[in-house]
Amino acid sequence: MVAFALIPFLLAGVSPLSAVAAPLQGLTITAASVKGAPIFPPINYGLSGLCKLPLLQEICAIVAAKTSSGIQVTTPIGVAAGVSDGSGASRFPVKYASATRWEASTISTKWTLPTGATNASGLPLACPQPLVDPSTYAEDCLSMILYVPTSLKANSGAPTLLWIHGGSFITGSATGPGLDGSKLAIATNSIVAVMQYRLGALGFMAPSGTTNLAVKDTINAMSFLAKVVPSFGGSASKITLAGQSSGAGMIRALLATPSASSLFQSAILQSDPIDYGFLNASTQVALQSSFNTLTGCTASNKACQNALSLEAIINAQVTLCSDASSIDPSTGTAEPVRPVRDGSLITTPLDLTAAFPSVNKPILLSNVRNEAGPTIFSMFTAAIDSSIFEDAAQGSLGDARASTVMASGFYNTSVSDTRIPLETLGTDYVWRCPTWSLARSWVAHGGKAFVGVYYTGATYPANNDIAFCLEAGSVCHQDDIEIVFGTVPNPTTAQAALTTEMQARYKAFLTTGSPNVAGLLPWTAATTTDVHAHQLGGTPTPSGEVPAGACEQSFWGDSVDYDYQVYGI
């Protein structure tokens, strides 16, 4: 008998094994690999260790600039040291902001190497997160890596793409698989910055009740870039945000933040699980109260909060994520810790539940063909019969919504393996259809939107053990990342062709706000009635567009509510 209590994981794009282990971005982890690991790495009294001391960091940065591969750029906040990988781009790691625990971050005023890097060839440590070796992360983690084409000269006015990684807001880093931005920077003739932000409880559960610290981190990252990119050949006014999964969700939060609007010109959202919506303020209060109880620290007891080990904070976070849906069902099980519509920073739900604001930025929205593939086919490792479909739909949607779905005809359960329509349902419900609804609303209120669906992908490391994701024609969640970055190992002809196409389209979008390029099939902008979803890769349809199916305007979001409508968030 299937444990249908796990079904919410199934359609949320996460593994049924653990709510917090779901989006591990390609990491291969076992309990044995972290059992007994120290919370902090051992002290190194050599140069590497000394350079981690605050008083010596600036001196070490200057030494690094003079002793590295010789690539130096003078910025308004100091000398930036970089290294070249020989591809025609240089890499510059930097700390963009600092923050004391559970306080708002402040933008760096001096060019400083990230924690974990003792010279320009070093890479930043990740932000604290569960199920990884503690030596790989540090609480002082607000860093980014700039990838700059060597052909760019100061004040060239080139655009900047700021990439925000995914990981359900609890995992991931700027050094995740496939996120080397060198090839993307060269192909788009832009600066590519890959950033990291505070994750989980440290970014979203300040005991005082302060909300959205991680969102504010990304705002500071944009402000930092505006200050320094002219020195590398960029324009402070040509910053485009791009991200995948919860990284795209972070961008949606920034699109709903009026105070951040002037800091970026356009946005690219890949595989955003829009169905979840933002948390509302009352839900955040309930989660915060539970978290404070788990840590044993009151909202005002700073001494208690600062004395908590990272291990204790992460353990409390894991318990909170496990308990969240019983505290408030609107949290769901995939991203219970996420941006909060607090009314001060994030002022609109940016969905179908409330008046949509006037907008003017161009956005590019994409999904992959099989967003729910990893979850469905890791939960159900063998073919299942049609009775499971109805049970799964009821477990995830409730009886009323499931009944409408079953009667719609959009999901063919007569096939021999019901995992196929179940995967389609998950993809439509959590990702594709709410993305199309957002596109229609965006256009109706003054913006321009382009919608696409990947029919060719590159298997992301996290999907390597899922047979379905290895099948020809399957494009699973995260399989678009290495296509965009041009980091596919040994790409096939089809993968290489799509990488070339997407990088050309991104280059056009960064500069013109449109992904249309001479010589490529026209990509029609969305309208209020037809999103004109462009097929990316695969054997193209005659129109080059993807059929709407259940994502037609009258079904999802109308006949069948999204979760954010059900919970009014």
Coordinates of all heavy atoms in Angstrom, one line a residue, residues 187-277:
A187 N 29.8 34.0 -24.4 CA 28.7 33.9 -25.5 C 27.8 35.1 -25.5 O 27.3 35.5 -26.5 CB 27.9 32.6 -25.3
T188 N 27.5 35.6 -24.3 CA 26.6 36.8 -24.2 C 27.3 38.1 -24.2 O 26.6 39.1 -24.1 CB 25.7 36.6 -23.0 OG1 26.5 36.5 -21.8 CG2 24.8 35.4 -23.1
N189 N 28.6 38.1 -24.1 CA 29.4 39.3 -24.0 C 28.9 40.1 -22.8 O 28.7 41.3 -22.9 CB 29.4 40.1 -25.3 CG 30.5 41.2 -25.3 OD1 31.6 40.9 -24.8 ND2 30.2 42.4 -25.8
S190 N 28.7 39.4 -21.7 CA 28.2 40.1 -20.5 C 29.0 39.6 -19.3 O 29.8 38.7 -19.4 CB 26.7 39.7 -20.3 OG 26.6 38.3 -19.9
I191 N 28.8 40.3 -18.2 CA 29.4 39.9 -16.9 C 28.3 39.0 -16.3 O 27.1 39.3 -16.2 CB 29.6 41.1 -16.0 CG1 30.7 42.0 -16.6 CG2 30.0 40.6 -14.6 CD1 30.8 43.3 -15.9
V192 N 28.7 37.8 -15.9 CA 27.9 36.8 -15.3 C 28.3 36.7 -13.8 O 29.5 36.4 -13.5 CB 27.9 35.4 -15.9 CG1 27.1 34.4 -15.1 CG2 27.4 35.5 -17.3
A193 N 27.4 37.1 -12.9 CA 27.7 37.0 -11.5 C 26.8 35.9 -10.9 O 25.6 35.9 -11.1 CB 27.4 38.3 -10.8
V194 N 27.4 35.0 -10.2 CA 26.7 33.9 -9.5 C 26.8 34.1 -8.0 O 27.9 34.1 -7.5 CB 27.3 32.5 -9.9 CG1 26.5 31.4 -9.3 CG2 27.3 32.3 -11.5
M195 N 25.7 34.3 -7.4 CA 25.7 34.7 -6.0 C 25.1 33.6 -5.1 O 24.5 32.7 -5.5 CB 24.9 36.0 -5.8 CG 23.4 35.8 -6.0 SD 22.3 37.1 -5.4 CE 22.5 36.8 -3.6
Q196 N 25.4 33.8 -3.8 CA 24.7 33.0 -2.8 C 24.2 33.9 -1.7 O 24.6 35.0 -1.6 CB 25.7 31.9 -2.2 CG 27.0 32.4 -1.8 CD 28.0 31.2 -1.6 OE1 28.1 30.3 -2.4 NE2 28.8 31.3 -0.5
Y197 N 23.2 33.3 -1.0 CA 22.4 34.1 0.0 C 22.2 33.2 1.2 O 22.2 32.0 1.1 CB 21.1 34.6 -0.6 CG 20.4 33.5 -1.4 CD1 19.4 32.8 -0.7 CD2 20.7 33.2 -2.7 CE1 18.7 31.8 -1.4 CE2 20.0 32.2 -3.4 CZ 19.1 31.5 -2.7 OH 18.4 30.4 -3.4
R198 N 21.8 33.8 2.3 CA 21.6 33.0 3.5 C 20.4 32.1 3.3 O 19.3 32.5 2.8 CB 21.3 33.9 4.7 CG 22.6 34.5 5.3 CD 22.4 35.5 6.4 NE 21.8 36.8 5.9 CZ 21.6 37.8 6.7 NH1 21.7 37.7 8.0 NH2 21.1 38.9 6.2
L199 N 20.6 30.9 3.7 CA 19.6 29.8 3.5 C 18.8 29.4 4.8 O 19.3 29.7 5.9 CB 20.3 28.6 2.9 CG 21.1 28.7 1.6 CD1 22.0 27.5 1.4 CD2 20.1 29.0 0.5
G200 N 17.7 28.8 4.5 CA 16.9 28.2 5.6 C 16.6 29.2 6.8 O 16.3 30.3 6.6
A201 N 16.8 28.7 8.0 CA 16.5 29.4 9.2 C 17.3 30.7 9.3 O 16.8 31.7 9.7 CB 16.7 28.6 10.4
L202 N 18.6 30.7 8.8 CA 19.4 31.8 9.0 C 19.0 32.9 8.0 O 19.3 34.1 8.3 CB 20.9 31.4 8.7 CG 21.5 30.6 9.8 CD1 22.8 30.0 9.3 CD2 21.8 31.4 11.1
G203 N 18.3 32.6 6.9 CA 17.9 33.6 6.0 C 16.4 34.0 6.1 O 16.0 35.0 5.6
F204 N 15.6 33.2 6.8 CA 14.2 33.4 6.8 C 13.5 33.3 8.2 O 12.3 33.5 8.3 CB 13.5 32.4 5.9 CG 13.8 32.6 4.4 CD1 14.8 31.9 3.8 CD2 13.1 33.6 3.7 CE1 15.2 32.1 2.5 CE2 13.4 33.7 2.3 CZ 14.5 33.0 1.7
M205 N 14.3 32.9 9.3 CA 13.7 32.7 10.6 C 14.4 33.5 11.7 O 14.7 32.9 12.7 CB 13.7 31.2 10.9 CG 12.7 30.4 10.1 SD 11.0 30.8 10.6 CE 10.1 30.4 9.1
A206 N 14.6 34.8 11.5 CA 15.2 35.6 12.6 C 14.2 35.5 13.8 O 13.1 35.9 13.7 CB 15.4 37.0 12.1
P207 N 14.7 35.1 15.0 CA 13.9 35.0 16.1 C 13.1 36.3 16.5 O 12.0 36.2 17.1 CB 14.9 34.6 17.2 CG 16.0 33.9 16.5 CD 16.1 34.6 15.2
S208 N 13.7 37.4 16.1 CA 13.0 38.7 16.5 C 11.7 38.9 15.6 O 10.9 39.8 15.9 CB 14.0 39.9 16.2 OG 14.3 39.9 14.8
G209 N 11.6 38.1 14.6 CA 10.4 38.3 13.7 C 10.7 39.1 12.5 O 9.9 39.2 11.6
T210 N 12.0 39.5 12.3 CA 12.4 40.2 11.1 C 12.3 39.2 9.9 O 12.8 38.1 10.0 CB 13.8 40.8 11.2 OG1 13.9 41.7 12.3 CG2 14.2 41.5 9.9
T211 N 11.7 39.6 8.8 CA 11.4 38.7 7.7 C 12.3 39.0 6.5 O 12.9 40.1 6.4 CB 9.9 38.8 7.3 OG1 9.7 40.2 6.9 CG2 9.0 38.4 8.4
N212 N 12.4 38.0 5.7 CA 13.0 38.1 4.3 C 14.5 38.6 4.3 O 14.9 39.3 3.4 CB 12.2 39.1 3.5 CG 10.8 38.5 3.2 OD1 10.7 37.3 2.8 ND2 9.8 39.3 3.3
L213 N 15.3 38.1 5.3 CA 16.7 38.5 5.3 C 17.4 38.1 4.1 O 18.2 38.8 3.5 CB 17.4 38.0 6.6 CG 17.0 38.6 7.9 CD1 17.7 37.8 9.0 CD2 17.3 40.0 8.0
A214 N 17.1 36.9 3.6 CA 17.7 36.4 2.4 C 17.3 37.2 1.1 O 18.1 37.4 0.2 CB 17.4 34.9 2.1
V215 N 16.1 37.7 1.1 CA 15.7 38.5 0.0 C 16.5 39.9 0.0 O 16.9 40.4 -1.0 CB 14.1 38.8 0.1 CG1 13.7 39.7 -1.1 CG2 13.4 37.5 0.1
K216 N 16.6 40.4 1.2 CA 17.4 41.6 1.4 C 18.9 41.4 1.0 O 19.6 42.3 0.5 CB 17.3 42.1 2.8 CG 15.9 42.5 3.2 CD 15.7 42.8 4.6 CE 14.2 43.1 5.0 NZ 14.0 43.3 6.4
D217 N 19.4 40.1 1.2 CA 20.8 39.8 0.8 C 20.9 40.0 -0.8 O 21.8 40.6 -1.3 CB 21.1 38.4 1.1 CG 21.3 38.1 2.6 OD1 21.4 39.1 3.4 OD2 21.2 37.0 3.0
T218 N 19.9 39.5 -1.5 CA 19.9 39.6 -3.0 C 19.8 41.1 -3.4 O 20.4 41.5 -4.4 CB 18.8 38.8 -3.6 OG1 17.5 39.3 -3.3 CG2 18.9 37.3 -3.2
I219 N 19.1 41.9 -2.7 CA 19.0 43.3 -3.0 C 20.4 43.9 -2.8 O 20.8 44.8 -3.6 CB 17.9 44.0 -2.1 CG1 16.5 43.5 -2.5 CG2 18.0 45.5 -2.2 CD1 15.4 44.0 -1.6
N220 N 21.1 43.6 -1.7 CA 22.4 44.1 -1.5 C 23.4 43.6 -2.6 O 24.3 44.3 -3.0 CB 22.9 43.7 -0.1 CG 22.4 44.6 0.9 OD1 21.9 45.7 0.7 ND2 22.4 44.2 2.2
A221 N 23.2 42.4 -3.1 CA 24.0 41.9 -4.2 C 23.9 42.8 -5.4 O 24.8 43.1 -6.1 CB 23.7 40.4 -4.5
M222 N 22.6 43.1 -5.7 CA 22.4 44.0 -6.9 C 23.0 45.4 -6.7 O 23.7 45.9 -7.6 CB 20.9 44.1 -7.2 CG 20.3 42.9 -7.7 SD 18.5 43.2 -8.3 CE 17.7 43.2 -6.7
S223 N 22.9 45.9 -5.5 CA 23.5 47.2 -5.2 C 25.0 47.2 -5.3 O 25.7 48.1 -5.8 CB 23.1 47.7 -3.8 OG 21.7 47.9 -3.7
F224 N 25.6 46.1 -4.8 CA 27.0 45.9 -4.9 C 27.5 45.8 -6.4 O 28.5 46.5 -6.8 CB 27.4 44.6 -4.2 CG 28.9 44.3 -4.3 CD1 29.8 44.8 -3.4 CD2 29.4 43.4 -5.3 CE1 31.2 44.5 -3.5 CE2 30.7 43.1 -5.4 CZ 31.6 43.6 -4.5
L225 N 26.8 45.1 -7.2 CA 27.1 45.0 -8.6 C 27.0 46.3 -9.3 O 27.9 46.7 -10.1 CB 26.2 44.0 -9.3 CG 26.5 42.5 -9.1 CD1 25.4 41.7 -9.7 CD2 27.8 42.1 -9.6
A226 N 26.0 47.1 -9.0 CA 25.9 48.4 -9.6 C 27.1 49.3 -9.3 O 27.5 50.1 -10.1 CB 24.6 49.1 -9.1
K227 N 27.7 49.1 -8.1 CA 28.8 49.9 -7.7 C 30.1 49.5 -8.5 O 30.9 50.3 -8.8 CB 29.0 49.8 -6.2 CG 30.2 50.6 -5.7 CD 30.4 50.3 -4.2 CE 29.1 50.6 -3.4 NZ 29.4 50.4 -1.9
V228 N 30.3 48.2 -8.7 CA 31.6 47.7 -9.2 C 31.6 47.3 -10.7 O 32.7 47.3 -11.3 CB 32.1 46.5 -8.4 CG1 32.2 46.9 -6.9 CG2 31.2 45.2 -8.6
V229 N 30.5 46.9 -11.3 CA 30.5 46.4 -12.7 C 31.1 47.4 -13.7 O 31.7 47.0 -14.7 CB 29.2 45.8 -13.2 CG1 28.9 44.5 -12.4 CG2 28.1 46.8 -13.1
P230 N 30.9 48.7 -13.5 CA 31.5 49.6 -14.5 C 33.0 49.4 -14.7 O 33.6 49.6 -15.7 CB 31.1 51.0 -14.0 CG 29.8 50.8 -13.3 CD 30.0 49.5 -12.6
S231 N 33.7 49.1 -13.6 CA 35.1 48.9 -13.6 C 35.5 47.6 -14.4 O 36.6 47.5 -14.9 CB 35.7 48.7 -12.2 OG 35.3 49.8 -11.4
F232 N 34.6 46.7 -14.6 CA 34.8 45.5 -15.3 C 34.3 45.6 -16.8 O 34.4 44.6 -17.5 CB 34.2 44.3 -14.7 CG 34.8 44.0 -13.3 CD1 34.3 44.5 -12.2 CD2 35.9 43.1 -13.2 CE1 34.8 44.2 -10.9 CE2 36.4 42.8 -12.0 CZ 35.9 43.4 -10.8
G233 N 33.7 46.7 -17.1 CA 33.1 46.9 -18.4 C 31.6 46.8 -18.5 O 31.0 46.7 -19.6
G234 N 31.0 46.7 -17.3 CA 29.5 46.6 -17.3 C 28.8 47.9 -17.1 O 29.4 49.0 -16.8
S235 N 27.5 47.9 -17.2 CA 26.7 49.1 -16.9 C 25.8 48.8 -15.7 O 25.2 47.8 -15.5 CB 25.7 49.3 -18.1 OG 24.7 50.2 -17.8
A236 N 25.8 49.8 -14.8 CA 25.1 49.7 -13.6 C 23.6 49.6 -13.8 O 22.8 49.1 -12.9 CB 25.4 50.9 -12.6
S237 N 23.1 50.1 -14.9 CA 21.7 50.1 -15.2 C 21.2 48.9 -16.1 O 20.1 48.9 -16.5 CB 21.4 51.4 -15.9 OG 22.0 51.5 -17.2
K238 N 22.1 48.0 -16.4 CA 21.8 46.8 -17.2 C 22.0 45.5 -16.5 O 22.7 44.6 -17.0 CB 22.6 46.9 -18.5 CG 22.4 48.1 -19.4 CD 23.2 48.0 -20.7 CE 23.0 49.2 -21.6 NZ 23.9 49.2 -22.7
I239 N 21.3 45.4 -15.4 CA 21.4 44.1 -14.6 C 20.1 43.3 -14.8 O 19.0 43.8 -14.7 CB 21.6 44.4 -13.1 CG1 23.0 45.1 -12.9 CG2 21.5 43.1 -12.3 CD1 23.2 45.6 -11.5
T240 N 20.3 42.1 -15.3 CA 19.2 41.1 -15.4 C 19.3 40.0 -14.4 O 20.4 39.5 -14.3 CB 19.2 40.5 -16.8 OG1 18.9 41.6 -17.8 CG2 18.1 39.5 -17.0
L241 N 18.2 39.7 -13.7 CA 18.2 38.6 -12.8 C 17.9 37.3 -13.5 O 17.0 37.3 -14.4 CB 17.2 38.9 -11.7 CG 17.4 40.1 -10.8 CD1 16.3 40.2 -9.8 CD2 18.8 40.2 -10.2
A242 N 18.5 36.2 -13.1 CA 18.2 34.9 -13.7 C 18.4 33.9 -12.6 O 19.3 34.0 -11.8 CB 19.1 34.6 -14.9
G243 N 17.5 32.9 -12.6 CA 17.6 31.8 -11.6 C 16.7 30.7 -11.9 O 15.8 30.8 -12.8
Q244 N 17.0 29.6 -11.3 CA 16.2 28.3 -11.5 C 15.6 27.8 -10.2 O 16.2 28.0 -9.1 CB 17.2 27.3 -12.1 CG 16.5 26.0 -12.6 CD 16.5 24.9 -11.5 OE1 17.1 25.0 -10.5 NE2 15.7 23.9 -11.8
S245 N 14.4 27.3 -10.3 CA 13.6 26.7 -9.2 C 13.4 27.8 -8.1 O 12.9 28.8 -8.4 CB 14.4 25.5 -8.7 OG 13.5 24.7 -7.9
S246 N 13.9 27.5 -6.9 CA 13.7 28.5 -5.8 C 14.5 29.8 -6.1 O 14.1 30.9 -5.6 CB 14.1 28.0 -4.5 OG 15.4 27.6 -4.4
G247 N 15.5 29.7 -6.9 CA 16.2 30.9 -7.4 C 15.3 31.8 -8.2 O 15.3 33.0 -8.1
A248 N 14.5 31.1 -9.0 CA 13.5 31.9 -9.8 C 12.4 32.4 -8.8 O 11.9 33.5 -9.0 CB 12.8 31.0 -10.9
G249 N 12.1 31.6 -7.8 CA 11.1 32.1 -6.8 C 11.6 33.3 -6.1 O 10.8 34.2 -5.7
M250 N 12.9 33.4 -5.8 CA 13.5 34.6 -5.2 C 13.3 35.8 -6.2 O 13.0 36.9 -5.7 CB 15.0 34.3 -4.9 CG 15.7 35.5 -4.3 SD 15.2 35.9 -2.6 CE 16.2 34.7 -1.7
I251 N 13.5 35.6 -7.4 CA 13.4 36.7 -8.4 C 11.9 37.1 -8.4 O 11.6 38.3 -8.5 CB 13.8 36.2 -9.8 CG1 15.3 35.9 -9.8 CG2 13.5 37.3 -10.9 CD1 15.8 35.3 -11.0
R252 N 11.0 36.2 -8.3 CA 9.6 36.6 -8.3 C 9.3 37.4 -7.0 O 8.5 38.4 -7.1 CB 8.7 35.3 -8.3 CG 7.2 35.6 -8.2 CD 6.4 34.4 -8.6 NE 6.9 33.1 -8.1 CZ 6.7 32.6 -6.9 NH1 5.8 33.1 -6.1 NH2 7.3 31.4 -6.6
A253 N 10.0 37.1 -5.9 CA 9.8 38.0 -4.7 C 10.4 39.3 -5.0 O 9.8 40.4 -4.6 CB 10.6 37.3 -3.6
L254 N 11.5 39.4 -5.7 CA 12.0 40.8 -6.0 C 11.2 41.5 -7.0 O 11.1 42.8 -6.9 CB 13.4 40.6 -6.6 CG 14.5 40.0 -5.6 CD1 15.7 39.6 -6.3 CD2 14.8 41.0 -4.5
L255 N 10.5 40.8 -7.9 CA 9.5 41.5 -8.8 C 8.3 42.0 -8.0 O 7.7 43.0 -8.5 CB 9.0 40.5 -9.9 CG 10.1 40.1 -10.9 CD1 9.5 38.9 -11.8 CD2 10.4 41.3 -11.9
A256 N 8.1 41.5 -6.8 CA 7.0 41.9 -6.0 C 7.5 42.9 -4.9 O 6.7 43.2 -4.0 CB 6.3 40.7 -5.3
T257 N 8.7 43.4 -5.0 CA 9.3 44.3 -4.1 C 9.5 45.6 -4.7 O 10.5 45.8 -5.5 CB 10.6 43.7 -3.5 OG1 10.4 42.5 -2.9 CG2 11.3 44.7 -2.6
P258 N 8.7 46.6 -4.5 CA 8.8 47.9 -5.2 C 10.2 48.6 -5.0 O 10.8 49.2 -5.9 CB 7.7 48.7 -4.6 CG 6.7 47.7 -4.3 CD 7.4 46.5 -3.8
S259 N 10.7 48.4 -3.8 CA 12.0 49.1 -3.4 C 13.2 48.5 -4.2 O 14.2 49.2 -4.2 CB 12.2 49.0 -1.9 OG 12.3 47.7 -1.5
A260 N 13.0 47.3 -4.8 CA 14.1 46.7 -5.5 C 14.0 47.0 -7.0 O 14.9 46.7 -7.8 CB 14.1 45.2 -5.3
S261 N 12.9 47.6 -7.4 CA 12.6 47.6 -8.9 C 13.7 48.4 -9.7 O 14.0 48.0 -10.8 CB 11.3 48.3 -9.1 OG 10.9 48.3 -10.5
S262 N 14.3 49.4 -9.1 CA 15.2 50.3 -9.8 C 16.6 49.6 -10.0 O 17.4 50.1 -10.7 CB 15.4 51.6 -9.1 OG 16.0 51.4 -7.8
L263 N 16.8 48.5 -9.3 CA 18.1 47.8 -9.3 C 18.3 46.8 -10.4 O 19.4 46.3 -10.6 CB 18.3 47.1 -8.0 CG 18.3 48.0 -6.7 CD1 18.4 47.2 -5.5 CD2 19.5 49.0 -6.8
F264 N 17.3 46.5 -11.2 CA 17.4 45.5 -12.3 C 16.4 45.9 -13.4 O 15.4 46.5 -13.2 CB 17.3 44.1 -11.8 CG 15.9 43.7 -11.3 CD1 15.0 42.9 -12.1 CD2 15.5 44.1 -10.1 CE1 13.8 42.6 -11.6 CE2 14.2 43.8 -9.6 CZ 13.4 43.0 -10.3
Q265 N 16.8 45.5 -14.6 CA 16.0 45.9 -15.8 C 15.1 44.8 -16.3 O 14.1 45.1 -17.0 CB 16.9 46.4 -16.9 CG 17.8 45.3 -17.5 CD 18.6 45.7 -18.8 OE1 18.5 46.9 -19.2 NE2 19.3 44.8 -19.4
S266 N 15.4 43.6 -16.1 CA 14.6 42.4 -16.6 C 14.9 41.2 -15.8 O 15.8 41.2 -14.9 CB 15.0 42.2 -18.1 OG 16.4 42.0 -18.3
A267 N 14.2 40.1 -16.1 CA 14.3 38.9 -15.3 C 14.1 37.7 -16.1 O 13.2 37.6 -17.0 CB 13.3 39.0 -14.1
I268 N 14.8 36.6 -15.8 CA 14.6 35.3 -16.4 C 14.3 34.3 -15.3 O 15.1 34.1 -14.4 CB 15.9 34.9 -17.1 CG1 16.3 35.9 -18.2 CG2 15.8 33.5 -17.7 CD1 17.6 35.7 -18.9
L269 N 13.2 33.7 -15.3 CA 12.7 32.7 -14.3 C 12.6 31.3 -14.9 O 11.8 31.1 -15.8 CB 11.4 33.1 -13.7 CG 11.4 34.4 -12.8 CD1 11.5 35.7 -13.6 CD2 10.0 34.4 -12.0
Q270 N 13.5 30.4 -14.5 CA 13.5 29.0 -15.0 C 12.9 28.1 -13.9 O 13.4 28.0 -12.8 CB 14.9 28.6 -15.4 CG 15.6 29.4 -16.4 CD 17.0 29.1 -16.7 OE1 17.8 29.9 -17.2 NE2 17.4 27.8 -16.4
S271 N 11.8 27.4 -14.3 CA 11.3 26.3 -13.4 C 10.9 26.8 -12.1 O 11.1 26.2 -11.0 CB 12.2 25.2 -13.3 OG 12.5 24.6 -14.6
D272 N 10.2 28.0 -12.0 CA 9.7 28.5 -10.7 C 8.5 27.7 -10.3 O 7.5 27.7 -11.0 CB 9.4 30.0 -10.9 CG 8.9 30.7 -9.7 OD1 8.9 30.1 -8.6 OD2 8.6 31.9 -9.7
P273 N 8.5 27.2 -9.1 CA 7.3 26.5 -8.6 C 6.2 27.5 -8.0 O 6.0 27.6 -6.8 CB 7.8 25.6 -7.4 CG 9.0 26.3 -6.9 CD 9.6 27.0 -8.1
I274 N 5.6 28.2 -8.9 CA 4.8 29.4 -8.6 C 3.5 28.9 -7.8 O 3.0 29.7 -7.0 CB 4.4 30.1 -9.9 CG1 5.7 30.7 -10.5 CG2 3.4 31.2 -9.6 CD1 5.4 31.4 -11.9
D275 N 3.1 27.7 -8.0 CA 2.0 27.2 -7.3 C 2.0 27.4 -5.8 O 1.0 27.6 -5.1 CB 1.8 25.7 -7.6 CG 0.7 25.0 -6.7 OD1 -0.4 25.3 -7.0 OD2 1.1 24.2 -5.8
Y276 N 3.2 27.4 -5.2 CA 3.3 27.5 -3.7 C 2.9 28.9 -3.3 O 2.5 29.1 -2.1 CB 4.7 27.2 -3.3 CG 5.3 25.9 -3.7 CD1 6.6 25.7 -3.9 CD2 4.4 24.8 -3.9 CE1 7.2 24.4 -4.3 CE2 4.9 23.6 -4.3 CZ 6.3 23.4 -4.5 OH 6.8 22.2 -4.9
G277 N 3.2 30.0 -4.1 CA 3.0 31.3 -3.6 C 4.0 31.7 -2.6 O 4.9 31.0 -2.2

